[in-house]
Amino acid sequence: MANIHDILAKQELEFNDLVALLAATGDDRKALFEAAARTKAEHVGNVVYLRGLIEFSNVCRKNCLYCGIRLDNKEVERYTLSDEQIIAAARFALENRYGSIVIQGGEITSPAFTLRIENLLNEIKALSDGKLGITLSLGEQSEDTYQRWFDAGAHRYLLRIESSTKSLYNRIHPNDENHVYEDRLEALRLLKKVGFQVGTGVMIGLPHQTLEDLARDLMFFKEIDIDMCGMGPYIEHHQTPLYAERESLMPLQDRFDLALKMVATLRVYMKDINIAAATALQAIDKIGREKAIKVGANIIMPNITPGVYRDSYKLYENKPCTDESAEECTGCLDARITLTGDEIGYDAWGDSQHFGKKQR
Ligand code: 5AD
Ligand code: SF4
Ligand code: FES
């Protein structure tokens, strides 16, 4: 097998190289992490940008087999934030110089929903004088809906592919017309066509997932030329069907470590994209997000959902910050990021440099 330093010195990493990086242990793992840190400093700088996360609603039409807020989970109490609550959260982000917000929620598709988001976008744009960057993460929608939201001022969209290996995608989703792999791909294509900066990502440590699957995920990101990526460890939720397969999972710590190696490998592989330090990392390791920042991540999404609802937006167990308020997270994160040695990019959109270069 090729030497890790030879691999890291290559211009263009190939499938086998990616697998080798994901498999690295000991000194090799250390070399990967150091290379990722260097690449980050050189290509995107040691600046972490904030996206205030508003968990809009836990109502969802889908039934993803891994997710705690899936339609068929009757144990969750459903909520949807009011317009006033969302506007207040956006104002909080603006006043605390976050630069951007993310509006995330379960997948809802209806003309009324499209219109409600459109109106909210217009309102948030107006209240911030266009200053606040807006990312949406509201699932698969029609081209028309994407276009209307884009025209109303959203400019980034997150839609994880979850796994780019079709057979694995099908194992973690119901086999019905609401969960079609090709529809997911098509949605990603439409988002790009409309003009969004597009982010996708995967879960790491899924049952039956191999290093080869993950290497293919990385190649998929490059192939569809993403601008942003958010990926984190899979964390089993006891009220979901996939919980039945927990015996076949690798230990949580190993999933965490593999997630860090995915972040580092992606940084080396796609040098100028935005990579988020996923909140799920923090569910396993108390300084999980900080560790990801050290090895290539440059985005953090502090939760600014009104406190009472945070516990109901539980996609996975052990979710951090559910007892904290937006104010508490702000102070906490500032200290945490400072400890990594990076600075916070306050008051900036912090768009993906990769996207910026394509526009020129
Ligand atoms: N563990 C980790 N991540 C999860 N997500 C959903 N359920 C889980 C889970 N059990 C992630 C999915 C989704 C994102 C919003 O949350 O990747 O795209
Ligand atoms: Fe709904 Fe997203 Fe959960 Fe799937 S992962 S059930 S689409 S909230
Ligand atoms: Fe929420 Fe630390 S970031 S409490």
Side-chain angles (χ1 to χ4, degrees):
M1 195 151 58
N3 175 295
I4 210 87
H5 295 280
D6 294 341
I7 295 177
L8 289 168
K10 277 178 135 182
Q11 281 300 326
E12 201 49 51
L13 296 174
E14 292 164 51
F15 178 72
N16 289 336
D17 301 327
L18 296 171
V19 176
L21 292 177
L22 295 178
T25 55
D27 286 347
D28 287 354
R29 174 176 172 276
K30 201 164 155 238
L32 164 64
F33 287 174
E34 285 167 2
R38 274 196 308 275
T39 305
K40 174 180 163 183
E42 194 177 317
H43 290 265
V44 293
N46 287 324
V47 184
V48 174
Y49 295 100
L50 305 178
R51 280 81 174 95
L53 175 65
I54 306 173
E55 293 161 336
F56 170 80
S57 169
N58 65 356
V59 176
C60 188
R61 61 186 280 264
K62 284 205 168 160
N63 252 322
C64 306
L65 302 178
Y66 45 84
C67 178
I69 63 170
R70 62 198 301 274
L71 178 67
D72 286 353
N73 184 4
K74 304 297 178 209
E75 319 264 320
V76 230
E77 210 177 307
R78 304 285 166 173
Y79 75 89
T80 300
L81 297 186
S82 68
D83 287 1
E84 292 69 34
Q85 287 170 320
I86 294 165
I87 299 294
R91 192 166 285 124
F92 174 89
L94 187 68
E95 282 163 4
N96 285 276
R97 302 164 54 223
Y98 276 20
S100 297
I101 55 170
V102 180
I103 301 178
Q104 183 172 78
E107 193 173 299
I108 305 168
T109 49
S110 73
F113 182 71
T114 299
L115 180 65
R116 179 165 181 223
I117 296 294
E118 190 178 27
N119 289 338
L120 274 167
L121 289 169
N122 283 320
E123 220 174 309
I124 294 169
K125 274 285 148 189
L127 92 91
S128 76
D129 220 358
K131 245 181 80 184
L132 211 47
I134 309 177
T135 307
L136 296 179
S137 178
L138 299 168
E140 292 169 31
Q141 304 283 345
S142 68
E143 178 172 358
D144 178 61
T145 293
Y146 285 152
Q147 186 70 55
R148 280 172 56 186
W149 292 347
F150 185 77
D151 293 342
H155 63 126
R156 299 188 280 239
Y157 204 103
L158 306 174
L159 183 67
R160 289 188 178 179
I161 185 73
E162 313 299 357
S163 169
S164 68
T165 304
K166 186 175 167 181
S167 55
L168 184 54
Y169 185 94
N170 287 337
R171 275 183 104 136
I172 60 171
H173 294 99
N175 177 17
D176 66 23
E177 66 284 358
N178 286 329
H179 304 80
V180 179
Y181 177 78
E182 285 75 16
D183 291 350
R184 196 75 160 184
L185 292 182
E186 177 63 6
L188 286 167
R189 192 187 68 78
L190 291 174
L191 286 165
K192 287 192 80 166
K193 180 178 169 210
V194 163
F196 281 101
Q197 293 176 48
V198 176
T200 192
V202 295
M203 284 177 288
I204 297 154
L206 287 163
H208 311 293
Q209 188 181 43
T210 63
L211 292 187
E212 285 75 15
D213 290 329
L214 290 168
R216 263 193 298 278
D217 289 336
L218 296 171
M219 295 185 80
F220 171 81
F221 299 158
K222 187 161 236 176
E223 224 170 83
I224 67 163
D225 198 25
I226 59 167
D227 305 300
M228 321 178 283
C229 184
M231 51 188 177
Y234 163 64
I235 299 170
E236 62 273 35
H237 190 300
H238 71 280
Q239 292 162 348
T240 63
L242 211 59
Y243 192 67
E245 300 205 41
R246 64 192 176 283
E247 301 295 333
S248 67
L249 295 170
M250 62 173 95
L252 271 177
Q253 269 312 320
D254 294 2
R255 275 178 257 165
F256 176 83
D257 189 62
L258 192 50
L260 281 189
K261 287 195 271 187
M262 277 290 277
V263 167
T265 304
L266 180 60
R267 176 54 73 202
V268 173
Y269 187 49
M270 294 186 78
K271 302 182 184 334
D272 57 358
I273 64 170
N274 278 346
I275 304 178
T279 309
L281 290 164
Q282 197 94 353
I284 301 181
D285 184 320
K286 287 200 161 35
I287 51 168
R289 287 178 297 184
E290 291 81 346
K291 287 181 179 171
I293 286 171
K294 282 282 197 192
V295 301
N298 68 327
I299 301 289
I300 257 189
M301 295 164 49
N303 198 327
I304 57 169
T305 310
V308 283
Y309 298 103
R310 292 180 179 201
D311 209 36
S312 301
Y313 195 82
K314 217 175 228 175
L315 283 55
Y316 47 83
E317 287 172 39
N318 239 336
K319 183 184 166 208
C321 307
T322 50
D323 294 331
E324 280 75 13
S325 65
E327 288 78 8
E328 284 169 308
C329 285
T330 303
C332 173
L333 267 179
D334 191 297
R336 282 169 177 272
I337 295 169
T338 306
L339 286 174
T340 67
D342 278 19
E343 58 177 292
I344 299 184
Y346 281 116
D347 270 334
W349 279 17
D351 276 345
S352 146
Q353 308 211 5
H354 185 72
F355 184 80
K357 284 178 200 153
K358 283 188 286 189
Q359 303 310 298
R360 275 181 223 137

